[in-house]
Amino acid sequence: MPWIVGVSGASGTPYAAAVLRALIDAGESVDLVVSRASRLTLLDETGISFRDAHWQADLREWLARGADGKPGTFDVDVERVRYWSAGDLAAGPSSGSYPARGMLIVPASTACVAGVALGLSKDLLQRAASVTLKERRKLVVTVRETPLNGQTLRHLVALDDAGATVVPASPAFYAGATHIQDLVDFVAGRVLDAAGVEHGLYRRWEGELGGGTRAE
């Protein structure tokens, strides 16, 4: 069964790319939903236009790009990815009978958080998240916004109460990061930890001070 990955319009497309690469590397199948707003963010952050008719080529170019914007950093096979248009409310993930392991929203904008918390289902991303909650599957919401106002905080509490796991896009530094990709991979790794997917994206804490500052 696939993981559904929803990409909303918040800044942080490198986080989504890192999660997608790691899922593919782990041998997982992916159902991808890219919101209309996230296409603008992707264009702004990478210069890549994500098009329905050319989604495989655009996705391959996006996932090959490092967090520093350098193209051709990664070699990624996207054959295990199935793409659904955000406007397609008749798509597979819109139904609870569609088999899926769960859903990861990376990054999650405050508008996306509000829509899912309120059950608006205004597009396929929000509908798939609502289905994930009602079917009691794993839903990981990677909120990327600062500061957070009271309304958004209440929405996040509502998602937690509904069974979702909220993973703020907050990189840590104990893992010995030396590059922007390391910080991105830490957040992506924590998202995958919440989903129960094995990965090797960051150095885990082992109870020894200074462990992250030593060379491998």
Side-chain angles (χ1 to χ4, degrees):
M1 292 190 294
W3 284 100
I4 302 169
V5 176
V7 185
S8 80
S11 177
T13 55
Y15 293 128
V19 167
L20 287 166
R21 285 193 299 265
L23 286 171
I24 293 169
D25 287 346
E28 301 284 353
S29 295
V30 175
D31 279 19
L32 177 64
V33 182
V34 179
S35 76
R36 292 179 62 186
S38 70
R39 297 181 189 222
L40 298 176
T41 307
L42 183 63
L43 180 62
D44 182 56
E45 294 184 345
T46 69
I48 297 171
S49 296
F50 197 90
R51 303 158 295 176
D52 284 353
H54 305 280
W55 71 266
Q56 280 188 312
D58 296 338
L59 178 63
R60 190 176 293 108
E61 182 183 0
W62 174 27
L63 299 189
R65 194 174 295 255
D68 59 0
K70 183 179 178 181
T73 301
F74 300 97
D75 183 17
V76 184
D77 181 1
V78 300
E79 293 302 318
R80 298 183 68 87
V81 179
R82 184 175 187 179
Y83 171 71
W84 301 93
S85 172
D88 185 5
L89 290 176
S94 68
S95 173
S97 66
Y98 183 79
R101 294 185 60 184
M103 183 173 184
L104 317 175
I105 305 178
V106 188
S109 66
T110 54
C112 174
V113 166
V116 176
L118 297 173
L120 297 183
S121 297
K122 73 179 185 64
D123 62 9
L124 179 59
L125 194 159
Q126 291 185 10
R127 172 59 185 169
S130 294
V131 168
T132 301
L133 287 175
K134 79 180 183 68
E135 297 296 326
R136 300 296 190 266
R137 298 168 183 161
K138 287 183 181 292
L139 175 64
V140 182
V141 179
T142 311
V143 61
R144 214 306 308 163
E145 185 60 87
T146 190
L148 295 172
N149 62 29
Q151 188 175 46
T152 299
L153 290 169
R154 285 188 285 273
H155 288 152
L156 291 172
V157 170
L159 288 177
D160 179 78
D161 288 342
T165 301
V166 177
V167 179
S170 302
F173 296 86
Y174 62 77
T178 60
H179 190 276
I180 185 174
Q181 189 66 55
D182 298 327
L183 298 176
V184 168
D185 285 348
F186 179 87
V187 172
R190 295 299 287 149
V191 171
L192 295 172
D193 287 345
V197 177
E198 293 187 5
H199 65 87
L201 289 176
Y202 69 90
R203 185 202 304 263
R204 297 184 182 277
W205 175 252
E206 296 180 348
E208 184 177 356
L209 293 176
T213 62
R214 294 197 298 271
E216 293 285 355

